[in-house]
Amino acid sequence: MDSTRKPISLILNSSTIGAFGMETISHSATRTPTAAPSKARVPLIRRLTPSTRSTRARTAVNNLESIELPILIAINESKSMSPKVGICIIDPNTSKLTITEIVDSQTYVRTVHKINMYSMHKVDIIVPLSFSKPTKTNLMKILEQNLIDDTRLMLVPKNLFRSEAAGKSLLLENVTDSDKSFLSTELNQRHFALCATCAAINYMKQRKDNLFIHEKFNVSYEASESTAFIDMNTVKSLELIENNVDPKKGLSLLKFLDSTMTKMGHRLLRSNILQPLTNGPSLTARFEAVQELMNKEGTLLEVHEHMNFCADLDKLFSFLSKKPKETIDVVSDQKINNVILLKQSMTMCRQLGADLSSCTSNLLVKVRETFQHPDVAATLQLIKQNINEDCSWANRPIELRNQQCYAVKSGMNGLLDASRQLHNSLIEDILTIADDLGAKHELAIEAKFDTNRGFHLKIKENAANMINELPPVFINRTRKNRFINCTTLEIAKLNSRMENAYSEILIMSGQTVDELLSNCKNFVSTYFMISEATALLDLICGFAANAEKHGNYVKPEFSSSTMIRQARHPILETLVKKKFVANDIVAMPETSRMQIITGPNMSGKSVYLSQIPLISIMAQIGSFVPASYAKLAIYRSIYARISNDTDKPNMSSFSSEMSEMAFILNNADKDSLIIIDELGRASSYTDGFAISLASLEHLVELRSICFMCTHFTDLPKVMHLKQGVLEQYMKCEQEETNPRSASGKTRLKMNFELTKGVNWISGYGISMVRSTGTFPQSVIKDAEDISELIKVSKKKKFQSSVGQLNGIRKRNIILDVYQTLQEVVRRKDMTDDELLGTLQAIECTSVERLSKLIGTSVNDDDDETEDESDGDGENSDLLAHKTTETGDLYVSDHNKNVQNGNVKLIDEEEYLLDFGSA
Ligand SMILES: Nc1ncnc2c1ncn2[C@@H]1O[C@H](COP(=O)(O)OP(=O)(O)OP(=O)(O)O)[C@@H](O)[C@H]1O
């Protein structure tokens, strides 16, 4: 079970109306059970896809969707350099109360992220008055700047945030008994979170419109350290929740992975994608459960079938946890609906419990135990005593009304039975009249029922002006598509009598239903656990179904470094017409924590880059991943900077790019995964290159795992001399377009294969433009001439700087080796094998780098040719400038590391002297 949540023991503790012949109606009126879902063998995948969700289930869900109340968030904080922010979130729609405490930075990114998680709802935020007076706190300013349109930020008296003890006692008054022990353990020392809880509950109690409608809350504590942080820019860039081009129909990770059958499962998937887990054991438990369900295809199929008819349990059980006075005005038909849904939910629990009977993985066993909780049997017993056995949810309005009328057991109240008979005979009269009218006027007439109009007639229109030609007996005529809706005086009268009989039935059923619901309130804590267990089971089943569907997914493992063999982009691999080319993803903190990927346009760099965080997120929510083997590090934060044109009207492309990059540089750490898809392209070449180089150097020092793709081919040439940096490129081949043509032009054939080294193909930009055939030939010719001139000028400048450069490069390689060895010595968590492997990798890369360096000085010309691919003369200037003028920078940086290091192996001066001679 996820550690973000409470332990599972706690959480889980007809025919058409046209054929509305008498038969259909009187048949169902005599309480024929709704037909059970067909169990015909349809191929597994087709039956498990979301499209198999029945409309019945949707109607059951919709029934519970009343007016959406705003979510309340109370925020409180400690003032220090790394502030602690206590947050309490109450969702009155689902009676969920979530408490969390975040250790944030001065930019409060995590706090803002937490609030943004609720951006799809209306949100009210309360903060103490002291946030604004006498001066505005940083948090207040940041909240004001980052609020989404529908959010209200309110200052409330400080005394609402009274004290930790007050918060605790308010909580204890409003949680179920099973939650009490959990609160005393989990919430110890959570001062700020408890003060925020105190404020949230007090505020709800004091509001004039009285939003404090629940007797009990479903409380959970979300430890911020057990979830990974993904900022909103990254969520958007990676299209985790919504497609950027077509938000409604386009694919996002959420849409792609969503094979859930229930609203609770969907909500859990969404919140998991926004906050992947960092708790290895919880994830391993999920993987085991997914694997077991994949192995037991029958179980998976049965579970999916039984969950297909599941209502939104959060909302249903939220109704049951409301105070009695809050439900007194709720119309009786809604209460009866809730009883029918409760019956159906408890029956589903039984079925799911039986479906999982042979499961042995820990998570599924705990889920099963929840479904088999004695309270489920007790609820079913109560329902059995009062509600007709074959009463169930129905989709069609007339069937649902029938179920409502016959919900309460017959024989309990004589008057109720009489009203039912009257109701029935009135319906039969209406149907007879409809048939007679059809025969008399030779029209295709159907009697139709809907909740707003009651019974009325539907006539198929044959001629355009038929609506005016109908006999006067048909009144209130309206046209809808190719039908005319109307009624007759007689039917209207019968309809009104039928409605009266229906109201009497509801009133007479009301007492039994109220009593039943009030008895069921005793089991509310179990119901909350059932809701969470259903969500989790749904999520796991969805993952199992996805893995089955795609066929070539693997179960990930977790380790300190990442090694994914034959990784594929989960979404793109299903979309590309040709075969998707898989690539390995290997990232070791010591040897390849920074990878710079070059390659021509359209060579697959961005696709490779974005598949890395997508696979990591999938693994960190418990899903299998698209690869042949996957061992992943657990990342605590994931950042993506992808060059999209800015959608912020008040920001230039450059400032948007820089603000995103600044955010990463200020927040990333050694447990971060970063992808950067081109940086500095919105400014001059020199500035773009300089900013990119400086940013990469900073990230190497931070020891984050970073993948960057760029068209600045000098970047890997400078950076690859640093320990932990690896240069890779997307391989492609140059092909003659037409061997007989005098132009001898070539075109690029993309292999989409990631290869070690730096892209060596030049002029790919011009070649690509030529292949589009859209540019005038003269412009392309000029571009080629200019490119030639730049190459010649660049060659001269480059030769003068190479000599100086190589001395410094050699020195840096040896310094890097020393520094890396120091870090390896400091690490205590390595096994002998891992240590040996790491040392071999360090040896290998160092020797390779030194031999490459020797090759560089011999093949200066080759190097230069690569530089030319940038088509920029000033770049080699810049490279020389940086390494000669700031060459000491590397040395002084290393000195600093040696001085500050825990292990002092050699004297610093002697060390530097050694390098002088080297
Ligand atoms: N591994 C792959 N296998 C098959 N097709 C791929 C693969 N990677 C990318 N493609 C195809 O190539 C197209 C271009 O890929 P991508 O956008 O990653 O190129 P790029 O190198 O980032 O281009 P640019 O430098 O112009 O941004 C994709 O839209 C996709 O159709």
Side-chain angles (χ1 to χ4, degrees), residues 572 576 579-583 599-608 677-678 711 752:
L572 203 81
V576 286
K579 196 180 169 304
F580 188 86
V581 181
N583 278 296
N601 299 95
M602 298 294 285
S603 58
K605 301 183 296 297
S606 308
V607 169
Y608 175 76
D677 190 353
E678 294 186 38
H711 290 284
F752 305 116

Side-chain angles (χ1 to χ4, degrees), residues 90 97 99 162-181 183-184 187 194 197-198 200-206 212-219 321-323 521 524-525 528:
I90 301 183
L97 188 153
I99 306 167
R162 220 166 292 146
S163 69
E164 182 181 329
K168 220 171 197 174
S169 73
L170 274 173
L171 258 185
L172 289 173
E173 280 171 26
N174 295 290
V175 298
T176 57
D177 289 342
S178 65
D179 278 351
K180 282 182 180 158
S181 60
L183 290 179
S184 53
L187 289 178
L194 282 167
T197 309
C198 176
I201 297 180
N202 274 329
Y203 176 81
M204 284 192 111
K205 278 185 168 175
Q206 287 174 20
F212 195 68
I213 51 176
H214 292 97
E215 277 184 318
K216 300 283 177 219
F217 286 111
N218 178 13
V219 182
S321 65
K322 279 183 184 165
K323 293 175 182 170
K521 276 175 183 242
V524 138
S525 61
F528 287 148

